[in-house]
Amino acid sequence: MADEPKHIVSSFESDLKKLHDMIAMMGGLVERAVADGSSALLDHDPDLAARVIEHDPKINAEQHNVELFAVRLLALRQPVADDLRQVIQALKVVTDLERIGDLAANIAKRSIVINQVASSFSLSSLGQMATLVQQNLKSCIDSVGEANPQKAVAVWRADQAVDDLYNAIFRELITYMMEDARNITACTHLLFIAKNLERIGDHTTNIAELTYYAVTGESLPDFRPKGDNTAAYMPSNAG
Amino acid sequence: MADEPKHIVSSFESDLKKLHDMIAMMGGLVERAVADGSSALLDHDPDLAARVIEHDPKINAEQHNVELFAVRLLALRQPVADDLRQVIQALKVVTDLERIGDLAANIAKRSIVINQVASSFSLSSLGQMATLVQQNLKSCIDSVGEANPQKAVAVWRADQAVDDLYNAIFRELITYMMEDARNITACTHLLFIAKNLERIGDHTTNIAELTYYAVTGESLPDFRPKGDNTAAYMPSNAG
């Protein structure tokens, strides 16, 4: 680096800054989608749900813009070492952000159906889960913008609480279905919504891992204290 | 390209060949995971399920190897234009392959529970879906190895049949749950298995799109005749 003319280094830095700004912008759209998708469900607001679905292509378009910019940056600046790593990580972060946007749109779609079906049970645990997922996502996107590895580690750890809530909600929903067959349709959609929130949590920890690696050059351990235990769930009263 | 010394071009080509071979190898592991995960469910084979789960870290390790190789290739060869595009696409393909591996392991996990719960209904549509998903995945991985855009387009189109089957299975499973509450646990896991197969189909079409773009430099249209319509599903007898 010391051998390179100063203006080339500065140009790369300003390009990298632009890349991070683009990701922060896309992150803002994704945060909004998750917040609005959750509100559409919890506040029974089908109009808001429709807007989340309608706005999803904007998020996909942002991903495409970031990718074009990153690939041009690779071609023109031909970065190596740390700089190369940061560009590659940026490409991966936007893949996770785009998937989070898809999951938020799917929550919005399902909320429309759930609001049409009478349900006699509380959505409070799901509301708690949605709040936690949003808090983590916000901290995570901040950690990208601030290149803050400590914040990334905190996000990575905080996902455990999301997984715990998911496991509890899964059990709760199965119980409601067993109690009354009229709950089955709503609960099936709620199961997928809870799973979507859990997956948003996983993509958020992915981004946290990518950020930690981009900033420090070191990987977080493969083993994260996690996860979704429901794949092995069998209630004692199963037939 | 014409101005570059011949040996540099050849080196890049042999690196690219190695990259494609590594992806084909990883693709083989992923194909096997999906085939074995499905067999574990359909043939009631918990030992096979355990092996799929046990082998998943190998797939993740392969992804890591491909990424290391690709990033080194970017740093050392500093490819531009078509060459750069091919390396970036390779990085994205392995992300999709790794997720397919995760989904196969999740199918295996759930199959263990389902096999412990008596079920009075047929898994034949799910078997059909699993077969179709495997055929598409195989053609797709072949299309990557052969750099064959026609094959990629065929895969991309064939996913419609997977989605149609998923939609039918979703409705079928809801019916079984409504008929008998003792079916709820097994059907919930089967719903997630069907969803996993549908997602494997989506990752497969992603890979097909990436391959088409890598080979031709052109994108397939944004609109694919698809999809999962179940997010808006509400049976007429819902309470």
Side-chain angles (χ1 to χ4, degrees):
Chain A
M1 283 288 199
D3 295 329
E4 291 182 20
K6 183 81 176 93
H7 74 275
I8 291 187
V9 175
S10 307
S11 290
F12 181 76
E13 273 167 14
S14 91
D15 280 349
L16 202 61
K17 167 92 177 57
K18 182 169 175 203
L19 187 63
H20 285 151
D21 288 347
M22 290 174 86
I23 293 174
M25 212 274 267
M26 183 180 171
L29 293 179
V30 169
E31 275 184 60
R32 162 95 1 232
V34 175
D36 287 350
S38 307
S39 297
L41 172 71
L42 300 165
D43 304 339
H44 310 279
D45 186 343
D47 295 334
L48 186 57
R51 283 204 296 282
V52 174
I53 298 162
E54 194 189 308
H55 287 172
D56 189 49
K58 268 199 207 170
I59 294 175
N60 302 349
E62 272 317 306
Q63 181 194 16
H64 191 63
N65 287 340
V66 173
E67 284 183 357
L68 284 180
F69 186 76
V71 169
R72 214 177 51 195
L73 209 157
L74 287 175
L76 295 180
R77 307 276 181 214
Q78 310 207 319
V80 292
D82 290 8
D83 294 342
L84 175 58
R85 194 176 64 223
Q86 295 211 50
V87 180
I88 297 291
Q89 300 308 88
L91 280 170
K92 293 170 129 196
V93 164
V94 292
T95 305
D96 282 303
L97 284 177
E98 190 270 335
R99 298 251 158 98
I100 295 176
D102 282 349
L103 292 164
N106 189 269
I107 291 174
K109 262 184 222 165
R110 293 184 191 275
S111 79
I112 295 175
V113 183
I114 291 169
N115 283 327
Q116 290 172 304
V117 181
S119 62
S120 53
F121 45 89
S122 148
L123 297 179
S124 71
S125 349
L126 211 65
Q128 253 184 291
M129 189 179 176
T131 303
L132 209 54
V133 164
Q134 285 171 62
Q135 284 168 352
N136 287 350
L137 179 61
K138 191 190 175 310
S139 294
C140 179
I141 291 170
D142 290 348
S143 80
V144 179
E146 301 164 12
N148 184 335
Q150 286 78 24
K151 202 171 258 185
V153 172
V155 166
W156 185 74
R157 283 191 210 286
D159 192 55
Q160 180 60 47
V162 174
D163 286 337
D164 291 344
L165 265 170
Y166 172 67
N167 292 327
I169 290 168
F170 186 94
R171 282 157 178 73
E172 201 182 319
L173 290 170
I174 297 266
T175 314
Y176 295 145
M177 290 199 270
M178 287 181 165
E179 277 168 11
D180 188 340
R182 285 170 300 179
N183 289 334
I184 286 174
T185 303
C187 285
T188 301
H189 287 296
L190 289 168
L191 273 174
F192 278 108
I193 287 180
K195 184 69 192 169
N196 284 355
L197 287 171
E198 190 263 341
R199 286 174 61 204
I200 292 174
D202 280 350
H203 285 294
T204 304
T205 60
N206 272 353
I207 297 174
E209 286 172 15
L210 292 166
T211 302
Y212 188 88
Y213 181 68
V215 180
T216 67
E218 280 170 31
S219 297
L220 285 167
D222 266 351
F223 177 74
R224 185 168 59 84
K226 68 164 296 189
D228 162 10
N229 300 320
T230 61
Y233 177 65
M234 183 169 50
S236 49
N237 58 341
Chain B
M1 281 289 198
D3 294 329
E4 292 181 20
K6 183 83 176 88
H7 75 276
I8 290 189
V9 175
S10 307
S11 290
F12 180 78
E13 272 168 14
S14 92
D15 280 349
L16 203 61
K17 166 93 176 56
K18 181 166 177 207
L19 187 63
H20 285 153
D21 288 347
M22 289 173 87
I23 293 175
M25 212 274 265
M26 183 179 172
L29 293 179
V30 169
E31 275 184 61
R32 162 91 7 229
V34 175
D36 287 350
S38 308
S39 298
L41 172 70
L42 300 165
D43 304 339
H44 309 278
D45 186 342
D47 295 335
L48 186 57
R51 283 204 295 282
V52 174
I53 298 163
E54 194 188 309
H55 287 172
D56 189 48
K58 267 199 208 169
I59 293 175
N60 302 349
E62 272 317 306
Q63 180 194 16
H64 191 63
N65 287 341
V66 173
E67 284 183 356
L68 283 180
F69 185 76
V71 169
R72 214 176 51 196
L73 210 157
L74 287 176
L76 295 180
R77 308 277 181 213
Q78 311 207 318
V80 291
D82 290 10
D83 294 343
L84 175 58
R85 194 177 63 224
Q86 295 212 51
V87 180
I88 296 291
Q89 300 307 90
L91 280 170
K92 294 170 131 198
V93 165
V94 292
T95 306
D96 282 302
L97 285 176
E98 190 268 336
R99 299 251 157 98
I100 295 177
D102 282 349
L103 292 164
N106 189 270
I107 291 174
K109 263 184 221 164
R110 294 184 191 274
S111 80
I112 295 174
V113 183
I114 291 169
N115 283 327
Q116 290 172 304
V117 181
S119 61
S120 53
F121 45 87
S122 148
L123 297 179
S124 72
S125 349
L126 212 64
Q128 251 183 292
M129 189 178 175
T131 304
L132 208 55
V133 164
Q134 286 170 63
Q135 283 168 353
N136 287 351
L137 179 61
K138 191 188 175 312
S139 295
C140 179
I141 291 169
D142 290 349
S143 80
V144 179
E146 301 164 12
N148 184 334
Q150 287 78 24
K151 202 171 260 187
V153 172
V155 167
W156 185 74
R157 282 192 212 285
D159 191 54
Q160 179 60 46
V162 174
D163 286 336
D164 290 345
L165 265 170
Y166 172 66
N167 292 327
I169 291 168
F170 186 93
R171 283 157 178 71
E172 200 182 320
L173 290 170
I174 296 265
T175 314
Y176 295 146
M177 289 200 269
M178 287 182 166
E179 277 169 9
D180 188 340
R182 284 169 301 180
N183 289 334
I184 286 174
T185 302
C187 284
T188 300
H189 287 295
L190 289 169
L191 273 175
F192 279 107
I193 288 181
K195 183 70 192 168
N196 284 355
L197 288 171
E198 189 263 343
R199 286 173 61 202
I200 291 174
D202 280 349
H203 285 294
T204 304
T205 59
N206 273 353
I207 296 174
E209 286 172 15
L210 291 166
T211 302
Y212 188 86
Y213 181 69
V215 179
T216 67
E218 279 169 33
S219 297
L220 285 166
D222 265 351
F223 177 75
R224 185 168 60 83
K226 69 165 293 193
D228 161 11
N229 300 321
T230 61
Y233 177 66
M234 182 168 52
S236 49
N237 60 341

